[in-house]
Amino acid sequence: MDTHQIEALFSSDENTQPPTTPHSEPPSAWHRVFFGPDGLRAGWSILIFIALFAGYLYAANIISHKIHPPTHHGASDNTFSPTVMFINEAIPLLGVLLATWIMAKIERRRVGAYGLGGTRKAPHFIAGLAWGITCLTPLILILWKGGYLVFDSRLLFGSDIVRYGICWIGVFFAVGLLEEYFTRGYLQYTLTRGFTGLFRSVFKTRNSEALGFWTSAVIFSVLFGAAHGSNPGESPIGLFTASLASMMFCLSLWRTGSLWWAIGFHTSWDWAQSFLYGVADSGTIAEHRFLATHPVGKPLLSGGATGPEGSVFILLIIALIVAVILVTLPRTHAGYERLPAEDVEL
């Protein structure tokens, strides 16, 4: 068969018909209720996560009450030992990690997509540690020099300083990891995903990701502040400060795509308040702290029972921290803004 015969064969009417492809059925109405372009819809994802976490806490509460029935300490309810506080943080932290891992498997996303991934975990964490204590110290100095904070005595000596210092930094690492990962990990990522899709369909703007992120940031920051209302000795200024601090940590997440700077900052800030300077932290006092202090004057200025976070001077420090974030954490392509599909395992 020569070349002309081959060309004639492939140009015949029978072979010029377009190949038939199987007809793909459009998704059903029920499928569209539960699934969108990014997979399981954000609302259902959040409900499942909350159900998993609540179920875990319920089971953990039953087990803990069987092992160690709760006791009431009366006036010492606002004072915590490192052991008790670590247990109180470690139990829900394990639930957050477990629920996040399960949701990552269900949605076929990498666990690191929810804030604990990235290639600069250690540098960001160490920088956050350094800035936490660095930014708290000016606030303590303002209160001390202004006569609103009095250092009473030194409580620890010798090896106890190192021993309890290490214990408390471990405790506050658990505190920082729990609070950051619970409020700004899976939940904020998923709510951002939902709002991004909503804004993209309604406004059709390329800024949908930013709008989605900051909308979810405001919602969770308000909830974060309100959650501190159960702390003993908390004040309106303290609650407002907690919400502002949450937005501040959202800014570090937006610029780095990671929670590690915020976790480091959260860890050393709380450690310096509770252990090093011995002041109240959201109305709670740490046992086995290095220094003993007490506030003096109007609570609006001294912070009162809330601690330095209840003083109006904290607003100056928050402005300082925002400046630190903007200067030391330049926004790059590794920032939070990304398409959710990039985090899907294939």
Side-chain angles (χ1 to χ4, degrees):
M1 183 180 292
D2 60 22
T3 305
H4 296 291
Q5 290 174 313
I6 295 175
E7 291 176 353
L9 176 62
F10 282 93
S11 63
S12 64
D13 291 339
E14 179 178 303
N15 290 283
T16 55
Q17 298 297 322
T20 59
T21 57
H23 180 67
S24 58
E25 293 290 334
S28 65
W30 277 109
H31 185 277
R32 291 195 299 272
V33 168
F34 291 100
F35 296 93
D38 296 325
L40 186 63
R41 293 192 183 276
W44 296 114
S45 295
I46 291 174
L47 286 176
I48 295 172
F49 178 91
I50 292 174
L52 289 170
F53 183 63
Y56 166 87
L57 288 184
Y58 180 76
N61 188 55
I62 291 176
I63 294 172
S64 65
H65 278 62
K66 294 288 186 182
I67 296 174
H68 190 275
T71 57
H72 300 283
H73 300 287
S76 64
D77 283 344
N78 68 329
T79 304
F80 291 93
S81 70
T83 302
V84 170
M85 194 166 182
F86 181 78
I87 293 173
N88 288 343
E89 300 298 322
I91 291 175
L93 174 59
L94 181 59
V96 173
L97 294 171
L98 180 61
T100 301
W101 180 80
I102 292 173
M103 294 308 301
K105 292 300 179 182
I106 291 175
E107 298 180 352
R108 299 177 61 193
R109 288 189 170 87
R110 297 188 297 270
V111 176
Y114 307 120
L116 297 185
T119 58
R120 294 182 55 81
K121 294 186 283 289
H124 283 148
F125 178 70
I126 293 171
L129 282 175
W131 281 114
I133 190 171
T134 299
C135 292
L136 175 67
T137 299
L139 177 59
I140 299 297
L141 288 174
I142 290 172
L143 295 175
W144 177 48
K145 290 296 185 179
Y148 305 113
L149 179 67
V150 174
F151 289 92
D152 299 314
S153 62
R154 179 176 164 185
L155 300 178
L156 297 178
F157 300 89
S159 62
D160 283 346
I161 299 173
V162 176
R163 179 157 63 98
Y164 285 111
I166 293 174
C167 286
W168 276 117
I169 203 165
V171 170
F172 288 116
F173 172 71
V175 172
L177 184 57
L178 170 62
E179 294 192 2
E180 295 305 317
Y181 203 41
F182 180 63
T183 57
R184 284 170 281 281
Y186 177 83
L187 288 175
Q188 178 153 330
Y189 177 95
T190 305
L191 191 61
T192 296
R193 178 167 66 85
F195 275 123
T196 298
L198 176 64
F199 292 140
R200 186 176 290 136
S201 62
V202 173
F203 300 115
K204 298 181 176 14
T205 172
R206 61 181 181 179
N207 297 317
S208 297
E209 181 94 13
L211 290 171
F213 176 88
W214 289 110
T215 301
S216 63
V218 169
I219 291 172
F220 279 116
S221 294
V222 171
L223 293 175
F224 183 79
H228 283 68
S230 61
N231 293 343
E234 192 59 272
S235 65
I237 289 289
L239 297 178
F240 181 62
T241 297
S243 295
L244 285 182
S246 180
M247 289 294 291
M248 177 185 77
F249 289 138
C250 287
L251 177 61
S252 73
L253 173 61
W254 174 253
R255 293 181 76 85
T256 67
S258 165
L259 292 169
W260 285 108
W261 190 93
I263 292 169
F265 189 101
H266 206 142
T267 299
S268 65
W269 175 279
D270 284 356
W271 178 84
Q273 279 194 108
S274 298
F275 171 75
L276 181 61
Y277 295 124
V279 296
D281 180 1
S282 294
T284 62
I285 303 291
E287 292 181 358
H288 310 297
R289 57 195 181 277
F290 180 57
L291 296 172
T293 66
H294 71 271
V296 177
K298 296 180 179 180
L300 185 66
L301 299 175
S302 68
T306 302
E309 292 177 359
S311 168
V312 292
F313 293 117
I314 188 70
L315 300 178
L316 299 174
I317 304 303
I318 288 179
L320 170 64
I321 298 168
V322 170
V324 167
I325 293 173
L326 294 175
V327 172
T328 66
L329 299 176
R331 184 86 193 284
T332 67
H333 67 280
Y336 190 87
E337 188 173 7
R338 61 190 184 275
L339 294 174
E342 294 177 0
D343 295 310
V344 178
E345 292 180 343
L346 299 177

mmCIF file of all heavy atoms in Angstrom, residues 227-255:
data_model
loop_
_atom_site.group_PDB
_atom_site.id
_atom_site.type_symbol
_atom_site.label_atom_id
_atom_site.label_comp_id
_atom_site.label_asym_id
_atom_site.label_seq_id
_atom_site.Cartn_x
_atom_site.Cartn_y
_atom_site.Cartn_z
ATOM 1 N N ALA A 227 -13.887 34.318 74.335
ATOM 2 C CA ALA A 227 -13.564 33.094 75.073
ATOM 3 C C ALA A 227 -12.768 33.382 76.335
ATOM 4 O O ALA A 227 -12.809 32.601 77.298
ATOM 5 C CB ALA A 227 -12.785 32.135 74.175
ATOM 6 N N HIS A 228 -12.033 34.498 76.351
ATOM 7 C CA HIS A 228 -11.257 34.859 77.537
ATOM 8 C C HIS A 228 -12.145 35.406 78.656
ATOM 9 O O HIS A 228 -11.656 35.640 79.769
ATOM 10 C CB HIS A 228 -10.186 35.894 77.181
ATOM 11 C CG HIS A 228 -8.993 35.307 76.488
ATOM 12 N ND1 HIS A 228 -9.068 34.782 75.218
ATOM 13 C CD2 HIS A 228 -7.703 35.150 76.894
ATOM 14 C CE1 HIS A 228 -7.871 34.340 74.867
ATOM 15 N NE2 HIS A 228 -7.028 34.539 75.865
ATOM 16 N N GLY A 229 -13.418 35.609 78.371
ATOM 17 C CA GLY A 229 -14.319 36.136 79.389
ATOM 18 C C GLY A 229 -14.517 35.195 80.558
ATOM 19 O O GLY A 229 -14.928 35.616 81.641
ATOM 20 N N SER A 230 -14.235 33.895 80.370
ATOM 21 C CA SER A 230 -14.378 32.926 81.459
ATOM 22 C C SER A 230 -13.194 32.940 82.415
ATOM 23 O O SER A 230 -13.246 32.305 83.470
ATOM 24 C CB SER A 230 -14.548 31.515 80.880
ATOM 25 O OG SER A 230 -13.413 31.145 80.106
ATOM 26 N N ASN A 231 -12.111 33.657 82.060
ATOM 27 C CA ASN A 231 -10.944 33.718 82.936
ATOM 28 C C ASN A 231 -11.250 34.551 84.182
ATOM 29 O O ASN A 231 -11.884 35.603 84.082
ATOM 30 C CB ASN A 231 -9.745 34.325 82.207
ATOM 31 C CG ASN A 231 -9.239 33.433 81.094
ATOM 32 O OD1 ASN A 231 -9.558 32.248 81.052
ATOM 33 N ND2 ASN A 231 -8.457 33.992 80.199
ATOM 34 N N PRO A 232 -10.796 34.119 85.355
ATOM 35 C CA PRO A 232 -11.033 34.921 86.565
ATOM 36 C C PRO A 232 -10.261 36.234 86.508
ATOM 37 O O PRO A 232 -9.105 36.273 86.106
ATOM 38 C CB PRO A 232 -10.499 34.012 87.680
ATOM 39 C CG PRO A 232 -9.505 33.121 87.009
ATOM 40 C CD PRO A 232 -10.035 32.895 85.625
ATOM 41 N N GLY A 233 -10.909 37.327 86.880
ATOM 42 C CA GLY A 233 -10.233 38.607 86.905
ATOM 43 C C GLY A 233 -10.109 39.303 85.569
ATOM 44 O O GLY A 233 -9.449 40.337 85.468
ATOM 45 N N GLU A 234 -10.725 38.762 84.516
ATOM 46 C CA GLU A 234 -10.641 39.384 83.196
ATOM 47 C C GLU A 234 -11.455 40.673 83.179
ATOM 48 O O GLU A 234 -12.415 40.831 83.928
ATOM 49 C CB GLU A 234 -11.154 38.412 82.130
ATOM 50 C CG GLU A 234 -10.856 38.817 80.709
ATOM 51 C CD GLU A 234 -9.377 38.966 80.418
ATOM 52 O OE1 GLU A 234 -8.849 40.087 80.638
ATOM 53 O OE2 GLU A 234 -8.755 38.001 79.970
ATOM 54 N N SER A 235 -11.048 41.622 82.339
ATOM 55 C CA SER A 235 -11.687 42.937 82.270
ATOM 56 C C SER A 235 -12.055 43.250 80.824
ATOM 57 O O SER A 235 -11.573 42.588 79.896
ATOM 58 C CB SER A 235 -10.731 44.010 82.794
ATOM 59 O OG SER A 235 -9.596 44.126 81.942
ATOM 60 N N PRO A 236 -12.903 44.278 80.596
ATOM 61 C CA PRO A 236 -13.233 44.656 79.216
ATOM 62 C C PRO A 236 -12.003 44.998 78.383
ATOM 63 O O PRO A 236 -11.917 44.622 77.206
ATOM 64 C CB PRO A 236 -14.149 45.867 79.401
ATOM 65 C CG PRO A 236 -14.781 45.661 80.735
ATOM 66 C CD PRO A 236 -13.725 45.016 81.572
ATOM 67 N N ILE A 237 -11.031 45.714 78.983
ATOM 68 C CA ILE A 237 -9.805 46.032 78.249
ATOM 69 C C ILE A 237 -9.052 44.747 77.905
ATOM 70 O O ILE A 237 -8.513 44.596 76.798
ATOM 71 C CB ILE A 237 -8.898 46.966 79.080
ATOM 72 C CG1 ILE A 237 -9.517 48.355 79.165
ATOM 73 C CG2 ILE A 237 -7.505 47.069 78.458
ATOM 74 C CD1 ILE A 237 -9.493 49.131 77.874
ATOM 75 N N GLY A 238 -9.047 43.809 78.847
ATOM 76 C CA GLY A 238 -8.371 42.537 78.593
ATOM 77 C C GLY A 238 -9.010 41.752 77.462
ATOM 78 O O GLY A 238 -8.314 41.153 76.632
ATOM 79 N N LEU A 239 -10.334 41.758 77.407
ATOM 80 C CA LEU A 239 -11.045 41.059 76.331
ATOM 81 C C LEU A 239 -10.776 41.724 74.984
ATOM 82 O O LEU A 239 -10.562 41.046 73.973
ATOM 83 C CB LEU A 239 -12.548 41.029 76.622
ATOM 84 C CG LEU A 239 -12.984 40.274 77.886
ATOM 85 C CD1 LEU A 239 -14.489 40.386 78.069
ATOM 86 C CD2 LEU A 239 -12.559 38.813 77.821
ATOM 87 N N PHE A 240 -10.801 43.055 74.984
ATOM 88 C CA PHE A 240 -10.510 43.798 73.759
ATOM 89 C C PHE A 240 -9.078 43.546 73.306
ATOM 90 O O PHE A 240 -8.808 43.356 72.108
ATOM 91 C CB PHE A 240 -10.742 45.287 74.010
ATOM 92 C CG PHE A 240 -10.490 46.160 72.809
ATOM 93 C CD1 PHE A 240 -11.241 46.024 71.651
ATOM 94 C CD2 PHE A 240 -9.477 47.122 72.833
ATOM 95 C CE1 PHE A 240 -11.006 46.828 70.543
ATOM 96 C CE2 PHE A 240 -9.243 47.933 71.734
ATOM 97 C CZ PHE A 240 -10.000 47.789 70.581
ATOM 98 N N THR A 241 -8.152 43.501 74.264
ATOM 99 C CA THR A 241 -6.750 43.226 73.951
ATOM 100 C C THR A 241 -6.585 41.840 73.342
ATOM 101 O O THR A 241 -5.814 41.650 72.389
ATOM 102 C CB THR A 241 -5.894 43.340 75.223
ATOM 103 O OG1 THR A 241 -5.949 44.674 75.718
ATOM 104 C CG2 THR A 241 -4.452 42.965 74.945
ATOM 105 N N ALA A 242 -7.302 40.851 73.879
ATOM 106 C CA ALA A 242 -7.215 39.489 73.346
ATOM 107 C C ALA A 242 -7.664 39.446 71.886
ATOM 108 O O ALA A 242 -7.046 38.765 71.054
ATOM 109 C CB ALA A 242 -8.047 38.542 74.189
ATOM 110 N N SER A 243 -8.721 40.184 71.553
ATOM 111 C CA SER A 243 -9.189 40.229 70.163
ATOM 112 C C SER A 243 -8.171 40.908 69.255
ATOM 113 O O SER A 243 -7.907 40.452 68.141
ATOM 114 C CB SER A 243 -10.532 40.950 70.084
ATOM 115 O OG SER A 243 -11.540 40.233 70.754
ATOM 116 N N LEU A 244 -7.583 42.015 69.748
ATOM 117 C CA LEU A 244 -6.559 42.703 68.957
ATOM 118 C C LEU A 244 -5.337 41.822 68.759
ATOM 119 O O LEU A 244 -4.745 41.786 67.669
ATOM 120 C CB LEU A 244 -6.151 44.006 69.650
ATOM 121 C CG LEU A 244 -7.116 45.184 69.581
ATOM 122 C CD1 LEU A 244 -6.503 46.393 70.279
ATOM 123 C CD2 LEU A 244 -7.464 45.531 68.134
ATOM 124 N N ALA A 245 -4.941 41.108 69.818
ATOM 125 C CA ALA A 245 -3.789 40.208 69.702
ATOM 126 C C ALA A 245 -4.065 39.116 68.684
ATOM 127 O O ALA A 245 -3.169 38.708 67.927
ATOM 128 C CB ALA A 245 -3.464 39.606 71.068
ATOM 129 N N SER A 246 -5.305 38.637 68.640
ATOM 130 C CA SER A 246 -5.668 37.622 67.656
ATOM 131 C C SER A 246 -5.509 38.152 66.238
ATOM 132 O O SER A 246 -4.974 37.469 65.358
ATOM 133 C CB SER A 246 -7.108 37.158 67.890
ATOM 134 O OG SER A 246 -7.484 36.176 66.964
ATOM 135 N N MET A 247 -5.979 39.379 66.002
ATOM 136 C CA MET A 247 -5.801 39.988 64.681
ATOM 137 C C MET A 247 -4.321 40.177 64.355
ATOM 138 O O MET A 247 -3.887 40.002 63.211
ATOM 139 C CB MET A 247 -6.533 41.327 64.627
ATOM 140 C CG MET A 247 -8.039 41.227 64.605
ATOM 141 S SD MET A 247 -8.663 40.449 63.094
ATOM 142 C CE MET A 247 -8.275 41.714 61.884
ATOM 143 N N MET A 248 -3.543 40.504 65.361
ATOM 144 C CA MET A 248 -2.101 40.674 65.197
ATOM 145 C C MET A 248 -1.457 39.363 64.761
ATOM 146 O O MET A 248 -0.626 39.329 63.847
ATOM 147 C CB MET A 248 -1.523 41.148 66.525
ATOM 148 C CG MET A 248 -0.043 41.321 66.596
ATOM 149 S SD MET A 248 0.392 41.738 68.306
ATOM 150 C CE MET A 248 0.269 40.111 69.077
ATOM 151 N N PHE A 249 -1.872 38.253 65.383
ATOM 152 C CA PHE A 249 -1.330 36.955 65.005
ATOM 153 C C PHE A 249 -1.817 36.538 63.607
ATOM 154 O O PHE A 249 -1.109 35.842 62.877
ATOM 155 C CB PHE A 249 -1.711 35.901 66.040
ATOM 156 C CG PHE A 249 -0.998 36.057 67.360
ATOM 157 C CD1 PHE A 249 -1.673 35.884 68.555
ATOM 158 C CD2 PHE A 249 0.349 36.378 67.404
ATOM 159 C CE1 PHE A 249 -1.018 36.033 69.773
ATOM 160 C CE2 PHE A 249 1.019 36.531 68.609
ATOM 161 C CZ PHE A 249 0.331 36.357 69.799
ATOM 162 N N CYS A 250 -3.023 36.967 63.254
ATOM 163 C CA CYS A 250 -3.518 36.701 61.898
ATOM 164 C C CYS A 250 -2.644 37.412 60.866
ATOM 165 O O CYS A 250 -2.417 36.893 59.769
ATOM 166 C CB CYS A 250 -4.969 37.155 61.755
ATOM 167 S SG CYS A 250 -6.169 36.095 62.593
ATOM 168 N N LEU A 251 -2.153 38.600 61.223
ATOM 169 C CA LEU A 251 -1.267 39.327 60.317
ATOM 170 C C LEU A 251 0.028 38.551 60.087
ATOM 171 O O LEU A 251 0.515 38.460 58.949
ATOM 172 C CB LEU A 251 -0.958 40.714 60.887
ATOM 173 C CG LEU A 251 0.017 41.581 60.080
ATOM 174 C CD1 LEU A 251 -0.529 41.865 58.682
ATOM 175 C CD2 LEU A 251 0.304 42.891 60.817
ATOM 176 N N SER A 252 0.585 37.965 61.144
ATOM 177 C CA SER A 252 1.810 37.160 60.973
ATOM 178 C C SER A 252 1.525 35.923 60.131
ATOM 179 O O SER A 252 2.356 35.507 59.318
ATOM 180 C CB SER A 252 2.381 36.769 62.335
ATOM 181 O OG SER A 252 1.600 35.777 62.974
ATOM 182 N N LEU A 253 0.340 35.332 60.294
ATOM 183 C CA LEU A 253 -0.052 34.181 59.470
ATOM 184 C C LEU A 253 -0.210 34.588 58.016
ATOM 185 O O LEU A 253 0.224 33.869 57.094
ATOM 186 C CB LEU A 253 -1.363 33.596 60.004
ATOM 187 C CG LEU A 253 -2.016 32.487 59.181
ATOM 188 C CD1 LEU A 253 -1.109 31.280 59.066
ATOM 189 C CD2 LEU A 253 -3.359 32.092 59.799
ATOM 190 N N TRP A 254 -0.809 35.741 57.772
ATOM 191 C CA TRP A 254 -1.029 36.221 56.409
ATOM 192 C C TRP A 254 0.297 36.446 55.681
ATOM 193 O O TRP A 254 0.439 36.136 54.504
ATOM 194 C CB TRP A 254 -1.845 37.503 56.449
ATOM 195 C CG TRP A 254 -2.032 38.188 55.135
ATOM 196 C CD1 TRP A 254 -1.446 39.334 54.709
ATOM 197 C CD2 TRP A 254 -2.877 37.750 54.058
ATOM 198 N NE1 TRP A 254 -1.877 39.651 53.441
ATOM 199 C CE2 TRP A 254 -2.753 38.687 53.015
ATOM 200 C CE3 TRP A 254 -3.727 36.660 53.883
ATOM 201 C CZ2 TRP A 254 -3.438 38.570 51.812
ATOM 202 C CZ3 TRP A 254 -4.414 36.545 52.688
ATOM 203 C CH2 TRP A 254 -4.268 37.490 51.672
ATOM 204 N N ARG A 255 1.284 36.967 56.403
ATOM 205 C CA ARG A 255 2.548 37.311 55.761
ATOM 206 C C ARG A 255 3.487 36.116 55.597
ATOM 207 O O ARG A 255 4.310 36.104 54.687
ATOM 208 C CB ARG A 255 3.240 38.432 56.537
ATOM 209 C CG ARG A 255 2.476 39.752 56.450
ATOM 210 C CD ARG A 255 3.163 40.868 57.187
ATOM 211 N NE ARG A 255 4.326 41.397 56.479
ATOM 212 C CZ ARG A 255 4.285 42.323 55.533
ATOM 213 N NH1 ARG A 255 3.117 42.818 55.142
ATOM 214 N NH2 ARG A 255 5.384 42.774 54.969
#
